[in-house]
Amino acid sequence: MEQLIASWSGEVVISAFDADSGAWIFIAIHDTTLGPAVGGCRIRVYPKPRDALLDAMRLAEGMTAKWACIGFPLGGGKSVLAIPGVPEAECRGRLLRRLGRIVASLRGLYACGPDLGTTPEDMAVIQEETEYVHGWDREHGKPVDPGPFTALGVFVGIRAAAQRVFGSSELAGRRVLVQGVGDVGVPLAGMLADAGAEVLLSDLIADRARSLGHELGASTVPAGAVYTTPCDVYAPCAVGATVNAEVVPSLQCRIVAGSANNQLDRPDDAEGLHARGILYAPDYVVNAGGAISLPMLREGRTVEAVRDRVARIGQTLGEIFDEAAAAGESPLLAADRRVRSVLEQARRSR
Ligand code: PHE
């Protein structure tokens, strides 16, 4: 872990061990040039605490890029609770409160919200300890679910990608494989089905995919066959790093666009996709809908205003695709350049 921290480009790492639950708590604050850090809290079992810290760091970097790309005055941060196994409800509550107290002690430097493994109900627990939480409407005492907004962003992103690859954003008849039938995968599959796409569903919990498939008239794909199933669009909406050196050569799709954070195992995998003629929608751009929705809803903006703002992800992606095509490079390089230029400009004007 010393090595990880020493070689990280971020600002601060906060770590704690929760003896009660046996969980490690990490908060990674990557870059606060644009504003205080905001990013979700992930709860997961990791092989080693080091893997959890690395995940927090990489996810925090992704949040810096996400806020910069959408032009929000916020910085990149993320928290990870590395649990040894699924805790019982009371123990989970105590762990979340512990995180809440640590967040409170930062006095606004970092605010958390829902992410993989956490729910808006978890945010309700955290907000008893700190006001720096997204995903819970304090005034009305009810959850705010970013999932459908993330899904909308991915949906418009897929359309923008289809426009580039097929010359039309029309999704009727297009085959879209949604990997991960969760908070984002479910609403995304619904929108795709409504648009007339042929939806394929896959989930590690096969029953989940099957029952939604039933509802939507979509077929299911076994988890092991996701990377070899022919489709127009592969939409990773589960864990990260599914696009890696092993998978890239076998993919049978034309577009990769989904909601998962850190979809690429290494930045080089974007080159691998580019070389194979697969258009990659950079994850932190196409999945920014949730990040757009949480601060806006917290400020009391209407759902319509949020949806309008989320829909602009399509234009942003279109610009990034154009820039990449003009330079003959992968869209990730074009998106990364955008992020760097936003941050550099902010640093200069400080
Ligand atoms: N976890 C989601 C993301 O990474 C949504 C989120 C954004 C949660 C910002 C909290 C804060 O985009």
Side-chain angles (χ1 to χ4, degrees), residues 198-269:
E198 182 195 341
V199 182
L200 303 180
L201 301 171
S202 186
D203 199 289
L204 286 176
I205 305 170
D207 274 347
R208 255 201 233 175
R210 228 171 284 131
S211 66
L212 180 67
H214 237 63
E215 211 177 291
L216 298 177
S219 41
T220 59
V221 172
V226 165
Y227 311 115
T228 49
T229 299
C231 57
D232 294 307
V233 184
Y234 161 46
C237 299
V239 293
T242 60
V243 180
N244 52 51
E246 200 187 315
V247 158
V248 169
S250 68
L251 284 174
Q252 303 293 315
C253 61
R254 302 291 309 279
I255 292 165
V256 174
S259 69
N261 279 312
N262 297 346
Q263 289 167 28
L264 307 181
D265 186 32
R266 295 169 312 126
D268 263 6
D269 297 315

Side-chain angles (χ1 to χ4, degrees), residues 105-291:
S105 75
L106 299 176
R107 296 164 187 269
L109 180 67
Y110 166 73
C112 68
D115 195 71
L116 204 89
T118 48
T119 62
E121 284 68 33
D122 290 335
M123 301 306 118
V125 177
I126 297 174
Q127 63 93 37
E128 288 173 26
E129 300 286 348
T130 177
E131 65 183 289
Y132 295 107
V133 191
H134 291 259
W136 185 260
D137 180 346
R138 285 191 141 206
E139 200 186 322
H140 304 97
K142 56 175 201 209
V144 179
D145 182 7
F149 297 102
T150 310
L152 176 62
V154 174
F155 180 74
V156 299
I158 289 174
R159 287 178 56 103
Q163 178 67 47
R164 287 312 178 280
V165 171
F166 304 113
S168 161
S169 61
E170 177 64 48
L171 296 183
R174 295 265 169 238
R175 214 167 199 236
V176 186
L177 196 165
V178 178
Q179 177 189 41
V181 180
D183 203 34
V184 180
V186 172
L188 174 62
M191 284 181 232
L192 291 166
D194 286 347
E198 182 195 341
V199 182
L200 303 180
L201 301 171
S202 186
D203 199 289
L204 286 176
I205 305 170
D207 274 347
R208 255 201 233 175
R210 228 171 284 131
S211 66
L212 180 67
H214 237 63
E215 211 177 291
L216 298 177
S219 41
T220 59
V221 172
V226 165
Y227 311 115
T228 49
T229 299
C231 57
D232 294 307
V233 184
Y234 161 46
C237 299
V239 293
T242 60
V243 180
N244 52 51
E246 200 187 315
V247 158
V248 169
S250 68
L251 284 174
Q252 303 293 315
C253 61
R254 302 291 309 279
I255 292 165
V256 174
S259 69
N261 279 312
N262 297 346
Q263 289 167 28
L264 307 181
D265 186 32
R266 295 169 312 126
D268 263 6
D269 297 315
E271 300 311 315
L273 291 173
H274 182 59
R276 286 209 52 214
I278 300 172
L279 185 65
Y280 173 60
D283 48 7
Y284 58 77
V285 185
V286 71
N287 74 11

Side-chain angles (χ1 to χ4, degrees), residues 38-42 59 62-63 66-67 74 77-78 110-116 118 123 134-135 146-147 150 259 261 287-295:
V38 177
C41 168
R42 178 167 284 203
L59 290 163
M63 288 308 301
K66 203 177 295 193
W67 297 125
L74 296 171
K78 208 93 176 189
Y110 166 73
C112 68
D115 195 71
L116 204 89
T118 48
M123 301 306 118
H134 291 259
T150 310
S259 69
N261 279 312
N287 74 11
I292 290 170
S293 71
L294 290 170

Side-chain angles (χ1 to χ4, degrees), residues 25 309 344:
I25 301 173
R309 186 66 189 74
E344 272 159 26

